[in-house]
Amino acid sequence: MPICLAILVSGRGSNMKAILQAIEEGRLDARATVVFSNNPQAPALAAALALGVPVESVGHRGLSREDHETRLLETLSRYPVDYVVLAGYMRVLTSSFLQHFHHQDGYFRIVNIHPSLLPAFPGANAYEEAFAYGVRLSGITIHLVDEKVDHGPILAQEAFARLEEDTFDDFKARGLSVEHRLYPQVLQSIALQGIRLLPSDQPSFYQETKSK
Ligand code: GRF
């Protein structure tokens, strides 16, 4: 049975497209049941529509965080959703939202991708900050979402180099190509085996991602 994904986006949606393409090509045993945006103008929405995926949006301007989340939950409740997939969704989710997607042991069925080797460079400008810092190695993290920003049990991390001659655009393009490969792989691992937690005496857990 394919897993049902609600993909949340705010902008361009290149990760969303990589996920939808992986589904289309049979590399990801999932169904994108809805793509939701807090930005009705997000280019990702048009891209999802063009690929035949239902889209929904509720702009957050003028709404309190709670009211916006209530509208988001109402929207998601109209679709089957096993996992919420954040793909460049630029809103912090409250603890009360997370509870609606409770998994077990206090974890939630909400996955995020972040373009750094967390805990380094959390926040909205990770590529810029890592490049400006002069890192020789950066990376991509895919993790379960918890109450803190860009924080939670790590599902996968992959490093990539910053080369001597790299412009910022080169650096970011290298990272994005890792993002677009890794996110579908991790979701496929979840589709095949669910989210596997280590025994509860372990302080954290790590799920091996398998390359195809
Ligand atoms: C990606 O770099 C992702 O890691 C971060 O936001 C960016 C979204 O890009 N969370 P896109 O909308 O998927 O192209």
Side-chain angles (χ1 to χ4, degrees), residues 11-16 87-88 112-115 127 176 179:
R12 163 183 66 178
S14 67
N15 278 286
M16 175 207 76
N112 185 41
I113 186 163
H114 184 75
Y127 278 119
L176 275 168
E179 294 195 42

Side-chain angles (χ1 to χ4, degrees), residues 84-181:
V84 175
V85 175
L86 307 184
Y89 188 64
M90 305 308 280
R91 301 280 295 167
V92 175
L93 298 168
T94 69
S95 169
S96 118
F97 179 91
L98 304 187
Q99 304 305 327
H100 288 269
F101 296 94
H102 185 248
H103 175 54
Q104 62 184 73
D105 301 335
Y107 297 116
F108 307 103
R109 290 174 284 123
I110 307 178
V111 187
N112 185 41
I113 186 163
H114 184 75
S116 74
L117 291 174
L118 289 173
F121 308 112
N125 302 307
Y127 278 119
E128 288 80 356
E129 288 174 15
F131 189 81
Y133 195 89
V135 296
R136 291 291 190 263
L137 204 62
S138 192
I140 303 301
T141 302
I142 296 174
H143 65 96
L144 292 185
V145 170
D146 69 10
E147 282 86 356
K148 298 184 195 153
V149 176
D150 296 328
H151 188 271
I154 289 172
L155 299 174
Q157 282 189 314
E158 186 172 318
F160 64 91
R162 179 248 186 89
L163 306 180
E164 196 80 19
E165 65 274 18
D166 271 358
T167 62
F168 173 68
D169 287 348
D170 297 332
F171 173 72
K172 188 171 179 182
R174 190 170 303 114
L176 275 168
S177 72
V178 175
E179 294 195 42
H180 298 160
R181 177 172 41 75

